[in-house]
Amino acid sequence: MANVFSSAWFYWAVGIAFGLPLGLVALTEWQHALQRKQGALLRPVTILRNYLLPLIALLLLMLEANQIPPHATSVRVVATLAAFVVLVLMLSGINAALFQSAPDGSWRKRMPSIFLDVLRFVLIAVGVAMIFAYIWGANVKGLFTALGITSIVVGLTLQNSVGQIISGLLMLFEQPFKLGDWIETPQAKGRVVEVNWRATHLETGTGLQITPNSVLASASFTNLSRPEGQHTCEVDVVFAHDDPPDRVCDMLTRAAAELPQCDPDRAPKTVPIGGMEYRTKIPLKSPAEDGKAKATFRRWIWYAARREGLHLDETDDEFSTPERVSESFNKVVGPVLKLRRDEHEDLVEHARIERYGDGERMQRAGEVPSGMMFVLSGTVQMNAHLEDGSQVMAWTQDEGSFLGQSTLTRQPVLGSAYAVGEVAVVYLPRDTVADLVQRNPLLLQELGRTIEERREHVLRAVDQATDVDID
């Protein structure tokens, strides 16, 4: 018994028997703490707990407790596994300490992945060479010499290709764009969806444009996403010489401000650029909305220009003819207002037919309508405004209905009206409608009831939306 206590292997065995569980418990607690905090060192600690600590305990048990010679194959195998795990732990620790925890905008965050891959390859090659040299006694000097000579020969042979790759990698290190940015190159315009050591992949409207990094490094390109929140698109249009420039600029600016893609924190602007051309700068929330914003803007100004009596592309609007207005009165206005023949003929002279494009705002909440509109075709959606600025649909109006009746009481409307598809309306100015209702008190009472009913509809829609949000 005395020989057992005096033997060195006994203390090593006892130390490993108690030290291994205690080390596992300590590392487990550290691992759980890192999991709760989403720490960058979670993976290195996991490798240390699950692999390295048990292997070191096994190696010490073989060498010190069992007294197995170091040159034995079993010892060398375990030592090789432990050294390999140390190498993996070192790579994981460097990555976590230097790059995963790097602050945004630092050089560590901008480091291209290809550089990290090369660094990992060099460390792995050196580590494996040291494992074979010190554990297995292999001669690796000749191997490194051969690799050095081969690298020089390959570098001289492929110096042009390697130069392009290096220039592309240096461009990536500068990181003039990141995934999700929109860039415009001489070849294409699109969103960056992938960047690797050879090329940048752009998602365009016609497919995937693959541009070599060396091309981007040697040419100029535009990052449309930087600075953030400053992207604008420009639309050039032509009007007739007789159209007043101020009216044209005002109409184009108002149409641009109504676009759903327009940045609400910045205002669009329109300026004449000479001749009959005008340029509208539309601030957008994102470069991704550039094409859609331009298409919607051009569609809306086609309708807005005709309503304003302006001549987009020097074209006259011959849609609202007296014959068509008279026919529309017989169809929708006469039955709603219960017009007599003499009233019909008098009102036709002051009315006109207007058209709105899909999604256009026909009536803005908080404004007093300048007249009444009778829906000739299409559907109008009435929206109520909530306190947070959002909107909720209150009801829809189809052919034969009307809106803008609060023009008689000079009250601002509570909701906004939007065209669903193309909508054609018969427009009557306020003075014309006022003269009509003065001669017809019953019509005034009926319009008054309609105003109150629609006001209740708007308030009810707001209350219902508020109740849903609370629930």
Side-chain angles (χ1 to χ4, degrees):
M1 191 68 178
N3 294 332
V4 173
F5 289 104
S6 62
S7 300
W9 64 265
F10 174 76
Y11 295 101
W12 278 104
V14 172
I16 294 173
F18 286 96
L20 179 60
L22 291 176
L24 291 175
V25 170
L27 291 175
T28 300
E29 293 299 325
W30 191 9
Q31 185 184 37
H32 290 169
L34 291 173
Q35 284 178 341
R36 290 192 296 269
K37 298 178 181 179
Q38 297 295 321
L41 295 177
L42 178 59
R43 187 168 183 269
V45 171
T46 302
I47 295 174
L48 179 61
R49 175 192 177 275
N50 295 344
Y51 303 102
L52 185 57
L53 186 60
L55 284 173
I56 291 178
L58 177 60
L59 184 60
L60 291 175
L61 191 63
M62 296 173 67
L63 289 173
E64 303 297 339
N66 289 343
Q67 301 294 319
I68 300 177
H71 57 271
T73 304
S74 58
V75 175
R76 288 183 175 182
V77 170
V78 175
T80 301
L81 293 176
F84 184 76
V85 173
V86 169
L87 180 60
V88 174
L89 178 63
M90 183 176 62
L91 294 174
S92 179
I94 292 175
N95 184 56
L98 294 182
F99 302 107
Q100 288 187 4
S101 59
D104 293 336
S106 64
W107 67 269
R108 291 181 291 165
K109 203 69 172 179
R110 295 197 308 268
M111 181 74 73
S113 59
I114 182 61
F115 286 174
L116 300 181
D117 293 339
V118 172
L119 178 60
R120 291 191 189 99
F121 176 78
V122 172
L123 291 178
I124 290 173
V126 173
V128 170
M130 293 178 64
I131 290 173
F132 278 98
Y134 287 97
I135 297 178
W136 297 95
N139 183 12
V140 296
K141 294 181 181 179
L143 176 62
F144 278 104
T145 303
L147 288 176
I149 296 175
T150 304
S151 300
I152 294 175
V153 173
V154 172
L156 292 175
T157 305
L158 303 176
Q159 55 181 336
N160 292 332
S161 300
V162 173
Q164 293 179 358
I165 294 176
I166 294 300
S167 62
L169 292 179
L170 292 176
M171 187 270 299
L172 292 180
F173 183 77
E174 182 186 355
Q175 207 173 36
F177 53 82
K178 59 184 178 180
L179 292 179
D181 282 358
W182 282 75
I183 65 173
E184 185 174 6
T185 69
Q187 293 80 22
K189 171 184 175 183
R191 184 171 64 92
V192 179
V193 295
E194 182 182 347
V195 180
N196 54 43
W197 65 272
R198 193 192 70 85
T200 298
H201 297 194
L202 301 180
E203 186 182 62
T204 65
T206 57
L208 195 65
Q209 176 77 23
I210 300 176
T211 304
N213 294 330
S214 58
V215 174
L216 294 178
S218 60
S220 62
F221 59 89
T222 304
N223 189 336
L224 303 176
S225 298
R226 297 186 186 179
E228 295 183 2
Q230 297 297 320
H231 179 66
T232 60
C233 70
E234 297 181 355
V235 181
D236 295 343
V237 292
V238 176
F239 282 82
H241 278 295
D242 295 336
D243 291 334
D246 287 346
R247 283 186 58 198
V248 173
C249 292
D250 182 64
M251 185 273 295
L252 293 174
T253 303
R254 281 188 284 110
E258 294 289 342
L259 292 173
Q261 299 85 11
C262 183
D263 188 349
D265 297 329
R266 295 181 291 155
K269 185 178 180 181
T270 302
V271 293
I273 56 176
M276 300 175 290
E277 294 188 50
Y278 297 82
R279 175 169 296 164
T280 303
K281 294 185 177 181
I282 309 172
L284 300 181
K285 303 173 186 176
S286 167
E289 300 173 331
D290 194 291
K292 189 174 183 180
K294 289 181 179 179
T296 304
F297 178 71
R298 291 186 181 276
R299 180 163 49 84
W300 282 5
I301 63 174
W302 188 93
Y303 294 96
R306 283 157 172 76
R307 294 196 302 271
E308 296 282 343
L310 302 174
H311 305 84
L312 177 65
D313 295 329
E314 304 180 80
T315 303
D316 293 324
D317 182 27
E318 300 178 354
F319 186 79
S320 182
T321 60
E323 295 79 10
R324 188 167 287 158
V325 173
S326 179
E327 181 182 351
S328 302
F329 258 74
N330 293 329
K331 186 177 181 181
V332 295
V333 182
V336 172
L337 299 181
K338 302 178 177 58
L339 299 178
R340 300 190 304 270
R341 180 178 296 274
D342 57 332
E343 294 174 333
H344 179 282
E345 295 175 354
D346 181 54
L347 292 179
V348 166
E349 299 178 359
H350 303 281
R352 66 176 184 268
I353 298 178
E354 295 181 344
R355 288 176 291 177
Y356 291 83
D358 181 33
E360 268 198 283
R361 192 199 303 260
M362 302 174 61
Q363 176 179 280
R364 180 188 294 272
E367 293 183 351
V368 178
S370 61
M372 288 187 64
M373 291 183 286
F374 300 84
V375 181
L376 184 61
S377 63
T379 302
V380 179
Q381 177 177 307
M382 308 298 296
N383 286 0
H385 291 254
L386 305 180
E387 293 183 357
D388 60 358
S390 60
Q391 300 184 31
V392 59
M393 188 184 73
W395 73 89
T396 58
Q397 297 180 219
D398 297 318
E399 178 182 331
S401 58
F402 59 89
L403 62 153
Q405 64 281 350
S406 62
T407 185
L408 299 172
T409 59
R410 306 295 178 95
Q411 291 177 302
V413 294
L414 292 181
S416 297
Y418 296 88
V420 180
E422 184 181 77
V423 175
V425 298
V426 180
Y427 174 81
L428 283 176
R430 177 190 296 120
D431 295 338
T432 303
V433 179
D435 293 340
L436 175 64
V437 297
Q438 284 180 357
R439 300 191 301 266
N440 192 343
L442 294 178
L443 178 60
L444 179 60
Q445 293 179 5
E446 184 175 347
L447 292 178
R449 285 195 301 270
T450 303
I451 293 174
E452 293 302 321
E453 290 175 357
R454 294 186 175 179
R455 184 177 295 271
E456 291 177 0
H457 274 302
V458 172
L459 296 177
R460 189 180 305 115
V462 172
D463 292 339
Q464 291 176 353
T466 303
D467 292 340
V468 170
D469 291 339
I470 293 176
D471 294 340

